[in-house]
Amino acid sequence: MNAQPQKVFLYDTTLRDGAQGEGISFSDAGKVRFARMLDEFGVDYIEGGFAGSNPRDQRFFEDIRKERLTHAHVTAFGSTRRVDLDAKDDPQLAGLVAAETEWVTIYGKAWMLHVKDVLRTTGERNLQMIADTVGFLKAAGRQVFFDAEHFFDGYKADPAYALKALAAAVREGAAGVALCDTNGGCLPH
């Protein structure tokens, strides 16, 4: 029997995902205050928002750098590079680096339906986008989480491909992966 202690890490998405709810709007000061509360509560990772995508989230990353969090790591959130750009030329990835967080979380496609219909590319190209993005961010000195969007839908449709998406991120140095039930309510059966 393995007697090693195990640790559960808490990763909170309220400042990004929670802000997408109807009628929800955080003030600049409110986002910082909420991040301090999550830190005091003992949350390990706080997803601060879409770095480089809007002025409010850009201000949050500037403001949070002035705070002294005692426990939590703030993460900047964004997507894999665009299909038509190299990672070094993608302005959204530049925004992730400019956020100056130690940790970043990128989401990418793990479901071939979305690879074809949303990205309008091939499975291999999507895997390369994941790898390029993680590699670029690692080279910029960031720790990376890979958020496998619609993972369970993708796994049900094509388990091998969904696992390849995870492997592409891990192979390039992602520190962790999130298996997302993006639609919600997915049961094992």
Side-chain angles (χ1 to χ4, degrees), residues 47-119:
E47 196 172 274
F50 280 98
S53 72
N54 65 70
R56 174 167 284 164
D57 285 350
Q58 289 170 351
R59 283 192 304 274
F60 169 76
F61 289 110
E62 292 169 9
D63 293 344
I64 201 66
R65 283 195 297 271
K66 300 171 191 165
E67 296 295 317
R68 293 201 155 206
L69 300 181
T70 60
H71 181 79
H73 298 280
V74 175
T75 69
F77 185 81
S79 68
T80 57
R81 70 167 171 84
R82 287 185 12 199
V83 173
D84 59 340
L85 292 176
D86 289 334
K88 66 179 177 45
D89 299 324
D90 190 313
Q92 184 259 157
L93 295 183
L96 286 172
V97 173
E100 297 183 24
T101 58
E102 175 187 3
W103 288 86
V104 296
T105 299
I106 57 156
Y107 70 91
K109 306 299 184 196
W111 188 11
M112 276 303 297
L113 175 75
H114 282 184
V115 171
K116 292 177 187 172
D117 294 351
V118 176
L119 295 179

Side-chain angles (χ1 to χ4, degrees), residues 117-167:
D117 294 351
V118 176
L119 295 179
R120 299 183 190 274
T121 193
T122 65
E124 283 306 311
R125 182 117 189 226
N126 178 59
L127 297 176
Q128 191 61 55
M129 291 166 56
I130 294 167
D132 291 349
T133 304
V134 174
F136 172 80
L137 293 168
K138 290 292 293 177
R142 303 306 185 266
Q143 297 295 320
V144 181
F145 285 117
F146 176 66
D147 184 311
E149 187 181 41
H150 289 277
F151 177 80
F152 293 100
D153 296 313
Y155 188 85
K156 285 188 287 187
D158 185 346
Y161 187 79
L163 293 172
K164 283 180 183 178
L166 301 178

Side-chain angles (χ1 to χ4, degrees), residues 23-68:
I24 302 295
S25 179
F26 294 113
S27 68
D28 293 350
K31 281 187 80 163
V32 171
R33 189 169 49 251
F34 194 79
R36 281 197 311 260
M37 291 169 54
L38 291 170
D39 178 58
E40 291 169 10
F41 182 71
V43 169
D44 299 290
Y45 300 94
I46 301 168
E47 196 172 274
F50 280 98
S53 72
N54 65 70
R56 174 167 284 164
D57 285 350
Q58 289 170 351
R59 283 192 304 274
F60 169 76
F61 289 110
E62 292 169 9
D63 293 344
I64 201 66
R65 283 195 297 271
K66 300 171 191 165
E67 296 295 317
R68 293 201 155 206

Side-chain angles (χ1 to χ4, degrees), residues 1-6:
M1 185 166 132
N2 185 352
Q4 285 186 316
Q6 305 244 339

